[in-house]
């Protein structure tokens, strides 16, 4: 793969097109979720606190983008491995409830921790499977 002057790997045209496509899709998802939240809030439906909702909406859109780009092979091997470690760390942190946004007995904090655990675990597993598949394919090419 080509690298620039700083040693970073460059993406080819297909990867750039897919990255832009998935970025646009995640932006549309973000806007749809924000409007959906506003509509639910207007009709008096019970929704999570605004801060919880903002984080859930943002992480849903970002998670969609990351999962699609990982599955499309846009991440390089080093970035993919870094992604695996970062999201595994987030999963462990949410399990141990180190993100104390609210009081210990708060239902919102429990929901937030569950959401973050599912989010980070999903991206970690998908990234790890993709990384292993790429590693096996590279090993088969060497043999």
């Amino acid at each position: 793969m080509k690298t620039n002057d700083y040693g970073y790997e460059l993406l080819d045209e297909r990867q750039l097109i897919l990255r832009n496509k998935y970025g646009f899709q995640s932006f549309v998802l973000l806007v749809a979720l924000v409007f959906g939240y506003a509509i639910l809030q207007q009709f008096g439906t019970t929704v999570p606190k605004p801060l919880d909702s903002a984080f859930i909406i943002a992480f849903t859109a970002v998670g969609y983008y990351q999962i699609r780009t990982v599955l499309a092979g846009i991440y390089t091997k080093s970035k993919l491995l870094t992604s695996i470690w970062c999201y595994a760390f987030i999963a462990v942190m949410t399990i141990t409830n180190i993100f104390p946004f609210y009081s210990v007995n708060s239902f919102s904090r429990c929901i937030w921790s569950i959401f973050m655990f599912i989010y980070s675990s999903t991206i970690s597993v998908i990234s790890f499977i993709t990384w292993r598949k790429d590693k096996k394919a590279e090993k088969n090419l060497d043999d």
Side-chain angles (χ1 to χ4, degrees), residues 65-108:
Y65 175 77
Q66 290 172 330
I67 289 171
R68 291 297 302 257
T69 54
V70 166
L71 292 177
I74 295 173
Y75 278 105
T76 59
K77 289 178 194 143
S78 59
K79 288 182 183 177
L80 194 56
L81 192 56
T82 303
S83 173
I84 293 169
W85 285 112
C86 288
Y87 287 108
F89 176 74
I90 291 171
V92 170
M93 297 295 270
T94 55
I95 279 182
T96 57
N97 288 319
I98 293 188
F99 294 153
F101 289 119
Y102 302 100
S103 65
V104 176
N105 297 326
S106 175
F107 180 71
S108 293

Side-chain angles (χ1 to χ4, degrees), residues 84-143:
I84 293 169
W85 285 112
C86 288
Y87 287 108
F89 176 74
I90 291 171
V92 170
M93 297 295 270
T94 55
I95 279 182
T96 57
N97 288 319
I98 293 188
F99 294 153
F101 289 119
Y102 302 100
S103 65
V104 176
N105 297 326
S106 175
F107 180 71
S108 293
R109 180 174 175 203
C110 179
I111 295 296
W112 173 248
S113 295
I114 291 169
F115 176 78
M116 284 301 295
F117 174 71
I118 292 170
Y119 166 77
S120 53
S121 298
T122 303
I123 293 179
S124 295
V125 167
I126 289 172
S127 300
F128 182 74
I129 291 170
T130 305
W131 177 71
R132 289 289 295 169
K133 189 169 63 172
D134 289 348
K135 195 172 180 180
K136 282 184 182 179
E138 186 178 290
K139 185 179 179 183
N140 289 340
L141 286 177
D142 291 341
D143 292 340

Side-chain angles (χ1 to χ4, degrees), residues 3-65:
T3 59
N4 63 8
D5 295 337
Y6 302 106
Y8 295 112
E9 296 176 359
L10 299 175
L11 301 176
D12 61 14
E13 291 83 13
R14 180 193 66 82
Q15 291 172 323
L16 288 173
I17 290 170
L18 285 176
R19 187 178 68 174
N20 291 337
K21 175 183 171 184
Y22 298 144
F24 178 73
Q25 289 174 353
S26 65
F27 176 73
V28 170
L29 176 64
L30 176 72
V31 170
L33 290 173
V34 167
F35 281 122
Y37 173 75
I39 289 169
L40 287 175
Q41 198 174 28
Q42 281 294 327
F43 289 114
T45 307
T46 304
V47 291
K49 294 179 182 178
L51 182 62
D52 291 336
S53 299
F55 277 118
I56 290 171
I57 288 170
F59 279 114
T60 302
V62 169
Y64 173 80
Y65 175 77

